[in-house]
Amino acid sequence: MPPVVTFTPGNQSATYKKHGTWTGDVVYASDSGFSNRMFWTLVLDPSVQAIITNNTMSCVASADGIPGYHDRHPAVPADYKWHSTIKDLALDTPYTWRAHCAFGTAEGPGEVKFAVSFVMRP
């Protein structure tokens, strides 16, 4: 089960750590003049970065409930500060952000997967 983050106007930031550090920050349309959105970043832990051969990985992110949203990077460095914005989020609607990075290791293929469920409350 992914962790569940509930954003509110008084709590617009969250951090989650598992094989890396994920941060999410939301902006409410009423405060910004554009749609509700979440800005997120992910950086793999140095212990994971250290096992990646050739210092290169392939990563893709998506969000359940947001058709057509994806952020793909076919070849980024192991220490890449991955970031993106998910736009047009509806209030009181649960979403799940998902990411997957694949890479080579000295032992063979490796991967890390991430997921964070979130909702923006009014």
Side-chain angles (χ1 to χ4, degrees):
M1 259 333 254
V4 177
V5 174
T6 301
F7 294 107
T8 65
N11 182 26
Q12 296 183 11
S13 297
T15 300
Y16 175 66
K17 294 184 180 194
K18 181 182 178 184
H19 310 302
T21 301
W22 174 89
T23 57
D25 295 284
V26 297
V27 177
Y28 284 79
S30 58
D31 298 335
S32 62
F34 49 78
S35 69
N36 297 319
R37 50 192 65 201
M38 182 177 70
F39 302 91
W40 62 266
T41 62
L42 176 66
V43 177
L44 296 183
D45 279 338
S47 62
V48 176
Q49 294 175 26
I51 66 168
I52 298 173
T53 56
N54 299 324
N55 193 38
T56 303
M57 61 184 177
S58 172
C59 299
V60 63
S62 62
D64 297 357
I66 304 290
Y69 172 78
H70 65 273
D71 189 69
R72 293 184 210 288
H73 294 278
V76 292
D79 65 351
Y80 183 66
K81 185 176 183 179
W82 190 11
H83 59 282
S84 184
T85 303
I86 303 173
K87 301 175 184 176
D88 303 322
L89 298 171
L91 296 179
D92 288 325
T93 302
Y95 299 100
T96 299
W97 170 88
R98 298 182 189 280
H100 175 260
C101 293
F103 45 81
T105 74
E107 309 296 316
E111 67 179 2
V112 288
K113 294 181 181 181
F114 302 89
V116 176
S117 294
F118 66 94
V119 63
M120 292 178 71
R121 300 282 184 218

